[in-house]
Amino acid sequence: MLLGLGIVLGFASIGFLCWLLFLCAVYAAPLFVAAMVCTILYDHGVLSGAHAILAGIAAGIVVLATGQAILASSRDPALRVAVSVLLALPAALAGFGTTLGFCGMGDMSAMPAYLFATFGALCVGGAAWTRLCAIQSA
């Protein structure tokens, strides 16, 4: 009984984490920029801990707002595709890492794990790119 419940809850938790990954994939680029700005400012001694975190959050917000403003206001398809791809690439990398981590939990050999991780990267990156392309220009 408890073994079956554990298996069901394990599959449900992996499904929930995948759903959360697809939902939050659009925000991978602003989060990456925020983390890098925070790390660089703190490591080089430019700002203290709290100030570096606030500067990182501000940088992430600027990236998100700029990307969405460009997608919402531009009618040029080349610019829209370029901005969408730039914002979706970190999501694809996050999908690769997440899928590779899930494969590592299942004791899978290297070649199938990397194949599944590549498929996961394509799925998550494609989902983020599709959500970004859905932003209509005014």
Side-chain angles (χ1 to χ4, degrees), residues 110-124:
M111 190 64 166
Y114 279 101
L115 288 174
F116 277 119
T118 303
F119 180 70
L122 290 173
C123 289
V124 173

Side-chain angles (χ1 to χ4, degrees), residues 7-28:
I7 291 171
V8 169
L9 289 177
F11 278 117
S13 63
I14 288 175
F16 173 74
L17 289 175
C18 288
W19 172 77
L20 190 64
L21 176 67
F22 278 103
L23 184 69
C24 297
V26 176
Y27 306 110

Side-chain angles (χ1 to χ4, degrees), residues 7 14 16-17 29 33 35 40-41 45 49 52 58 60 65 70 73 79 100 106 130 132-133 137:
I7 291 171
I14 288 175
F16 173 74
L17 289 175
V33 169
I40 288 171
L41 290 177
I70 289 172
S73 65
L79 180 64
L100 192 61
T130 303
L132 286 166
C133 286
S137 60

Side-chain angles (χ1 to χ4, degrees), residues 21-100:
L21 176 67
F22 278 103
L23 184 69
C24 297
V26 176
Y27 306 110
L31 181 64
F32 174 74
V33 169
M36 292 309 299
V37 166
C38 177
T39 303
I40 288 171
L41 290 177
Y42 184 73
D43 283 347
H44 292 288
V46 177
L47 295 175
S48 66
H51 293 106
I53 290 171
L54 290 175
I57 290 171
I61 289 171
V62 166
V63 167
L64 179 65
T66 304
Q68 288 186 349
I70 289 172
L71 290 173
S73 65
S74 174
R75 293 184 186 265
D76 183 23
L79 180 64
R80 290 178 57 85
V81 167
V83 171
S84 296
V85 167
L86 283 175
L87 290 175
L89 278 177
L93 291 175
F96 182 85
T98 303
T99 310
L100 192 61

